[in-house]
Amino acid sequence: MTMATEMRVYLRLPSRILFDGSAVRLRGEAPNGSFGILPNHVDLVTPLVSSVLLIAQADGTERIFGIDEGLLVKKGHRVEVAVRRAVETDDLDGMRDIVRDSFAGLEDEERAARAALSRLEADMVRRFASLRKAQG
């Protein structure tokens, strides 16, 4: 591995990529505590807990993400972060409210989707049972 001053970071959600860019530093939180990664950090895989993910870019910009639990994989100069839910904000002080509001809306959507799936499964079971009665 060559020495590098930047690494490529991808923050992926199930439906889209929230961040795709170069970074000089990343800070996250695993179940055993917070950690930092620089471009030449040793390769690693670690689970992430619901927390704040900070990505520092070469121009001095610091991107702040509130993330749900997920997984981080660093290999070479590439960092892949996969999380279920995440939001970006400039307001670290208001992050708790932003995350709560955003994640609550997603939880309502997930709950509605699970209820619809349960209804479809129950309907399918009823139809199979009626087919079995018709054959028997």
Side-chain angles (χ1 to χ4, degrees):
M1 184 164 68
T2 60
M3 297 299 280
T5 58
E6 294 183 358
M7 56 192 162
R8 190 73 180 189
V9 178
Y10 301 89
L11 177 55
R12 299 176 187 277
L13 302 174
S15 60
R16 65 188 174 102
I17 296 175
L18 186 58
F19 177 80
D20 172 359
S22 60
V24 294
R25 185 177 68 251
L26 180 142
R27 190 206 108 11
E29 191 165 335
N32 58 347
S34 62
F35 63 91
I37 296 177
L38 298 173
N40 297 300
H41 192 282
V42 67
D43 293 350
L44 75 109
V45 175
T46 185
L48 299 172
V49 297
S50 296
S51 59
V52 174
L53 181 74
L54 297 173
I55 299 174
Q57 297 179 293
D59 64 1
T61 303
E62 200 166 65
R63 308 283 294 265
I64 304 168
F65 299 91
I67 63 167
D68 200 353
E69 55 192 23
L71 184 69
L72 180 141
V73 177
K74 181 185 183 299
K75 184 175 181 193
H77 302 301
R78 183 180 178 110
V79 180
E80 300 271 353
V81 180
V83 294
R84 290 184 35 201
R85 300 176 286 202
V87 294
E88 183 175 11
T89 181
D90 295 330
D91 181 16
L92 193 54
D93 293 331
M95 168 93 49
R96 177 176 286 139
D97 295 333
I98 293 166
V99 168
R100 184 189 63 234
D101 295 344
S102 176
F103 288 7
L106 291 172
E107 287 172 359
D108 290 343
E109 291 173 12
E110 288 174 358
R111 197 175 0 263
R114 281 193 300 273
L117 182 60
S118 294
R119 286 191 300 275
L120 288 171
E121 289 172 344
D123 184 52
M124 187 170 62
V125 168
R126 280 193 295 276
R127 287 176 190 241
F128 278 125
S130 69
L131 285 174
R132 189 172 279 171
K133 284 181 186 176
Q135 290 178 348

